[in-house]
Amino acid sequence: MEQKEIPDIVLIYPDDCPDKFIEDEIKDFNTTNLNLKIQKVEKDAYMAFEWVVPTAFGVYILKPYFDSFLKEAGKDHYLLLKSGLKKIVEKGKHIKARFITARESTKKLSENYNQSIVVSIELQTKNNRHIKLLFDNELEKSDWEDAIDQLLDLVIENYESFPNDKLSKNINDRIENNRHIVYGVINPKTKKVEFFDDRKLCEKYK
């Protein structure tokens, strides 16, 4: 895929989500020159959940947003984006969802897994790492919103100061393989975002 074909932001919705609902949800941060893509996913894609799952609604903020669009649009759009993300993520507090798995795969599901299977946010860093922010169902909406602020601010610093930024150091100290996706999980006590790879997250919820 050529650089020009990579969108700034991709939004994932279930295939039965009304277009009008999507338009209303994103109108506050969708603007001229923002390469925003909407992708609808069939429900069957979520019928074989394992212990870490794709969420029904997802936001992917990719490198072009930070490298080019945000530099042109400035801080104002960054604040609009934060507000828009919080609006999207709020669905995780209102929509009820449950795990569905094949009969022979029931042991793949963790009974201790308490992260939302409704919403998540994924961001691409300066050095092409992908960080997926998960949202603890047992925490308050305000904790979710603070986590969005935390991670976005860290990613902005990452683009401005890489490789000497806090996010890179934090990930390098905790994640062994740079090919793995990085999961951001809100610590329920400190309310700070902590980072895990597949193995460490699996150990956390086994």
Side-chain angles (χ1 to χ4, degrees):
M1 179 180 289
E2 295 179 7
Q3 181 69 27
K4 66 179 180 181
E5 297 175 342
I6 300 175
D8 297 313
I9 298 173
V10 179
L11 300 176
I12 307 296
Y13 288 88
D15 62 347
D16 59 354
C17 191
D19 291 341
K20 183 62 168 60
F21 173 86
I22 298 173
E23 291 171 5
D24 289 343
E25 189 165 71
I26 67 175
K27 66 182 180 181
D28 292 336
F29 70 86
N30 190 14
T31 187
T32 305
N33 298 326
L34 179 68
N35 188 355
L36 179 67
K37 300 298 182 185
I38 307 297
Q39 181 177 343
K40 290 190 173 184
V41 179
E42 295 181 4
K43 288 182 180 178
D44 288 349
Y46 304 104
M47 297 292 283
F49 290 133
E50 298 198 13
W51 66 272
V52 173
V53 298
T55 51
F57 299 86
V59 182
Y60 294 79
I61 309 174
L62 302 174
K63 197 170 183 179
Y65 176 81
F66 298 103
D67 262 345
S68 56
F69 176 81
L70 190 57
K71 291 179 180 178
E72 297 175 4
K75 203 72 171 181
D76 287 345
H77 188 271
Y78 179 55
L79 298 176
L80 291 176
L81 177 64
K82 279 188 177 184
S83 177
L85 290 177
K86 293 172 184 178
K87 182 178 179 181
I88 291 173
V89 165
E90 187 177 359
K91 289 193 294 296
K93 286 297 183 184
H94 302 298
I95 298 176
K96 301 300 181 183
R98 63 187 179 88
F99 287 111
I100 302 174
T101 186
R103 183 178 303 171
E104 63 273 15
S105 301
T106 54
K107 292 183 179 180
K108 291 183 178 180
L109 298 180
S110 168
E111 295 179 357
N112 299 318
Y113 190 74
N114 61 353
Q115 304 301 309
S116 173
I117 61 172
V118 177
V119 292
S120 63
I121 296 174
E122 188 166 322
L123 301 96
Q124 186 177 15
T125 69
K126 181 74 173 179
N127 58 327
N128 298 316
R129 299 301 300 269
H130 286 258
I131 303 175
K132 186 171 185 175
L133 179 60
L134 305 176
F135 296 94
D136 188 330
N137 285 317
E138 298 172 4
L139 295 180
E140 300 295 327
K141 175 188 169 187
S142 60
D143 299 322
W144 289 18
E145 293 177 343
D146 288 345
I148 292 172
D149 289 340
Q150 286 180 50
L151 186 54
L152 277 173
D153 289 348
L154 284 171
V155 173
I156 289 293
E157 186 199 18
N158 169 260
Y159 277 83
E160 293 175 343
S161 305
F162 179 81
N164 301 311
D165 59 288
K166 296 175 185 175
L167 181 61
S168 294
K169 183 179 187 307
N170 202 328
I171 291 175
N172 291 340
D173 287 347
R174 294 183 61 87
I175 310 300
E176 297 174 359
N177 192 326
N178 62 14
R179 291 175 295 176
H180 289 174
I181 189 169
V182 178
Y183 295 95
V185 177
I186 307 168
N187 183 306
K189 294 182 179 179
T190 66
K191 307 302 170 64
K192 299 296 184 182
V193 177
E194 298 179 346
F195 300 101
F196 299 81
D197 58 17
D198 289 345
R199 180 180 61 81
K200 290 180 179 177
L201 195 59
C202 184
E203 290 174 354
K204 179 178 175 65
Y205 291 109
K206 67 180 179 180

